[in-house]
Amino acid sequence: MAPADPNRSFIKDVKRIIIKVGTAVITRNDGRLALGRIGALCEQVKDLNAQGYEVIMVTSGAVGVGRQRLRYRKLVNSSFADLQKPQNELDGKACAAVGQSGLMALYDMLFTQLDVSSSQLLVTDSDFENSNFRERLRETVESLLELRVIPIFNENDAISTRKAPYEDSSGIFWDNDSLAGLLALELKADLLLLLSDVDGLYSGPPTEASSKIIHTYIKEKHYHEITFGDKSRVGRGGMTAKVQAAVWASTGGVPVVITSGCASQSIVKVLQGEKIGTLFHKNASLWEPSKDASVREMAVSARDCSRRLQNLSSEERKKILLDVADALEANEDLIRSENEADVAVAHEAGYESSLVARLTLKPGKIASLAKSVRTLANMEDPINEILKRTEVADGLVLEKTSCPLGVLLIVFESRPDALVQIASLAIRSGNGLLLKGGKEAMRSNAILHKVITNAIPDNVGEKLIGLVTTRDEIADLLKLDDVIDLVIPRGSNKLVAQIKATTKIPVLGHADGVCHVYIDKSADMDMAKRIVMDAKIDYPAACNAMETLLVHKDLAETPELNDVLAALKTEGVNIYGGPVAHKILGFPKADSLHLEYSSMACTVEFVDDVQSAIDHIHRYGSAHTDCVVTTDDKVAETFLRQVDSAAVVYNASTRFSDGARFGLGAEVGISTGRIHARGPVGVEGLLTTRWLLRGKGQVVNGDKDVAYTHKSLPLQ
């Protein structure tokens, strides 16, 4: 579902709607009628009619339907000799006369099946020159709407007074788009929908990668910026005609939305206030600058600042991080105060304890964060590192070097400390950064962002790190695949899935943290107890906390296992059983074996052996972090080699799977994917490579004068 658009709050008061259906919507690429699409539109109109909306339709397509029928009739009645002669284009008025009855018959049949009555109203440009006609027309439409009949308008092209009705744009209206605009004003509609075969108005031809959809049209801003493509493939107007009609109607006080009639439930979505298509409104120029512009400016600014950051020396970038660490410690009281306010609101709102735990900056946390920032600062500079040198030919040297990805968009929930880690990693790796934290940490995120950006020098710019404050802006940012290079979501499975489904930008992250500890029959049970307790209790809300305890079946009901389980329960851990453990130990049955509790709870299940444990992990795990506790080296190596997770642990807690603990300084998240980076993602995961070729005037010239050596050279 697209996000709601605050500029469309007026839609809740809409009652009378005019829906204009373009020829490209009701016909297929081969010119035949798109019966399924027309049927779906009629179903939406039927539902609106039942909900009390007054729906008026303006339809194109009669000429296209008539042309198809007449071409067939001409073919049937032609001799072979006739077909060898040049074929004259069919008369448009004749096509209209034949097509109108066929098109209307289709609408009548579809609406009849839906138990809705429809009516046909054919009008011409000259009709509207008569004021009496206009008055009678309004009376007729009012009567039809009162009876819940759907009026369907079409320009009567068969008797149009224009000599070339498909090219002549003179008169009161000049095509069905402008007819729809005229009717919207005449009949005092609350909303005009112009349905097209594209999603809305773009800054250029929709087929061009650089073209971006415009959600709110502001004439003063967009009139001279838009480049229109070809006219409609089947109709007479295309997007140019729709924009002209939309500007005309909206200037007269009727809001207009241009959107796709080919997309599912597009009419319903517009009336739900969703941000789809392009809105035209008479007050658009008075509104705040569109978020489309503001979020793009934010992303472009982050990119520009990142390029300035890359131009600094290693020592200068190091100093920025040291200044950030000092600023965090200097403002600890203020940061703690804002965080306490967030925590208080979370308690009042009744948030789950696991979320409140992630939200809270505990005593010593700021000092710990400052320490991790200093650790990053003192790490070897990752930018412009020469990774490989090759002599391509005599005097032609190729270098493979490390460089920043560009601009990162990080979406995270609850944890304000994540903001510090991510921001410091972005500075160290030379990347621009856009951050969107959860609303529950709004005040904490705001003060941390301010403290960090104030420490960034002017020659880089504080816009290196942008803070996104509303959910609506995320939807717009996810469309900026030409500016943003990587999205890293840190949060729930739902959050990650939503982001992956709504962006073309590469996404790095994990959806779940279903981490396992497997206790083998050979395990040192005292060691196993320490590992299990730490993996579950040290920080239950962390993504690397143990969620499932797998136990070799030979340990079932042994005193040693009972001791481990008793210790968990003593600490307040709620234990649930898998299908086998539920029967043997009597624990409540777990709802699922793929479950991330993120709290003081876990699942226990018995398995036959290490291979069964591996199979269980592959089936129910999340490829995050999984652990084996054993004294059998063969079991350990089997587990380490075969478990296909981002981090695999032998005789140690899953809680070690962390960027800082792995010596990465900090982490932007843990990736369970396989492309680009996997496991805790630190500085290296935010870098890519580029090639630098240093020559002395060499040219290819068909490779005639080049003697390739491809010799490895020592790194300098």
Side-chain angles (χ1 to χ4, degrees), residues 8 97 120 210 276 419 442 634:
R8 305 189 188 194
Q120 182 180 30
S210 59
I276 64 170
L419 186 150
M442 181 175 61
K634 185 177 179 181

Side-chain angles (χ1 to χ4, degrees), residues 8 194-208 210-230 237-248 250 256-261 270 275-281 284 290 292 479:
R8 305 189 188 194
L194 299 177
L195 300 183
S196 176
D197 59 346
V198 294
D199 293 333
L201 176 62
Y202 283 74
S203 57
T207 53
E208 293 184 3
S210 59
S211 298
K212 302 298 175 185
I213 194 168
I214 297 168
H215 285 298
T216 302
Y217 179 86
I218 301 173
K219 185 175 181 180
E220 295 80 1
K221 173 179 174 58
H222 296 119
Y223 182 75
H224 297 291
E225 293 182 359
I226 298 171
T227 302
F228 290 101
D230 297 333
M239 189 56 71
T240 305
K242 287 177 176 55
V243 171
Q244 290 174 345
V247 170
W248 179 28
S250 61
V256 183
V257 174
I258 299 176
T259 192
S260 173
V270 168
K275 192 173 187 176
I276 64 170
T278 302
L279 170 65
F280 293 73
H281 195 285
S290 70
D292 290 344
K479 296 171 184 174

